[in-house]
Amino acid sequence: AVNDVSLHVRTGEIYGFAGPNGAGKSTVMKMLMQLTQPDSGEVYLFGEKMKENSYESFKRIGSIIESPCFYEAITGWQNLELHCEYMGYYCKERIDEVLQLTGLQDAAGRRVLHYSLGMKQRLAIARAILTKPQLLILDEPTRGVDIGAKKEIYSIINELAEKGVAIIMVSSELPEVLGMSDRIMVVQEGHVRGILHKEDADQEN
């Protein structure tokens, strides 16, 4: 699925990872999160080689891999409270902070069943940043949402990068990541087809 893909993401950088459906983008993200094991190659996170028992490093990562899932019969706030419990992160005040950041504070008491797709995507981001990660992996964070919701999500991503969070933004739409990313890796059929830098995109525009 993936061959010879190598990337390095810096603190406070938005790193675009673009390519058509089936290019291997989600596979790479799953390998970073040890959801899929590579046949060869190595993954280093925060300067340390990842091993089977490298659980502590995952406390420093927030992620949305493919379509996010929630307990829809309970509220947005309760979903985030559950995430705190199984992550061993007991700062409940942080729940209100991320709801405010993602613009969901007024919907916190509503059951997720009644959330729009855009609201669910923002709730997924709220859950991903709940434990104050240093690295954020966003796999198609604007999938299926309207233009207004996209702008809101872009604003959240930019704000997080400005606070020093390293972000990998995966998208099948190159124009989307061109406007957002400091660097962009383009993959196709599991191979790297090129790397663009923000200044290159600015010159093209």
Side-chain angles (χ1 to χ4, degrees), residues 3-203:
N3 186 40
D4 248 358
V5 173
S6 179
L7 64 151
H8 174 249
V9 186
R10 306 182 184 105
T11 300
E13 177 181 42
I14 300 176
Y15 193 104
F17 199 64
N21 292 330
K25 304 184 302 298
S26 293
T27 299
V28 173
M29 297 306 110
K30 287 178 181 178
M31 287 192 287
L32 290 179
M33 296 299 295
Q34 291 194 342
L35 299 173
T36 297
Q37 296 301 319
D39 295 319
S40 62
E42 298 174 337
V43 176
Y44 285 80
L45 289 173
F46 314 113
E48 295 184 7
K49 182 179 176 180
M50 294 301 292
K51 302 176 182 177
E52 289 185 5
N53 61 348
S54 299
Y55 306 121
E56 288 300 313
S57 293
F58 290 110
K59 293 181 179 180
R60 302 164 67 184
I61 303 172
S63 66
I64 303 173
I65 306 292
E66 296 184 331
S67 299
C69 295
F70 299 99
Y71 295 101
E72 298 205 340
I74 61 177
T75 68
W77 203 97
Q78 289 169 325
N79 268 276
L80 296 181
E81 182 182 32
L82 274 175
H83 187 71
C84 281
E85 292 291 335
Y86 61 70
M87 289 295 288
Y89 188 85
Y90 302 109
C91 180
K92 299 296 177 67
E93 295 81 6
R94 177 65 178 163
I95 296 176
D96 295 320
E97 289 178 14
V98 297
L99 286 168
Q100 175 106 20
L101 178 62
T102 53
L104 289 172
Q105 63 270 30
D106 293 336
R110 288 165 53 187
R111 288 193 297 167
V112 174
L113 177 67
H114 301 300
Y115 279 26
S116 67
L117 184 55
M119 291 169 71
K120 288 179 180 177
Q121 287 294 96
R122 283 187 281 146
L123 184 61
I125 294 174
R127 184 171 64 187
I129 64 176
L130 189 56
T131 57
K132 296 186 177 180
Q134 294 169 262
L135 171 64
L136 188 59
I137 298 173
L138 300 176
D139 188 359
E140 304 277 3
T142 62
R143 179 188 283 123
V145 304
D146 60 31
I147 293 176
K150 280 187 178 184
K151 289 182 179 178
E152 292 174 351
I153 291 170
Y154 294 158
S155 177
I156 294 167
I157 293 170
N158 280 320
E159 185 173 344
L160 291 167
E162 288 172 1
K163 291 179 178 179
V165 179
I167 298 172
I168 301 175
M169 181 173 168
V170 180
S171 179
S172 57
E173 301 178 22
L174 184 57
E176 178 175 65
V177 290
L178 274 173
M180 291 285 296
S181 307
D182 300 296
R183 288 184 295 156
I184 304 159
M185 177 180 286
V186 180
V187 293
Q188 186 177 19
E189 297 179 346
H191 295 268
V192 177
R193 299 303 184 193
I195 297 177
L196 298 173
H197 295 261
K198 189 176 180 118
E199 51 269 27
D200 299 329
D202 292 340
Q203 288 173 7

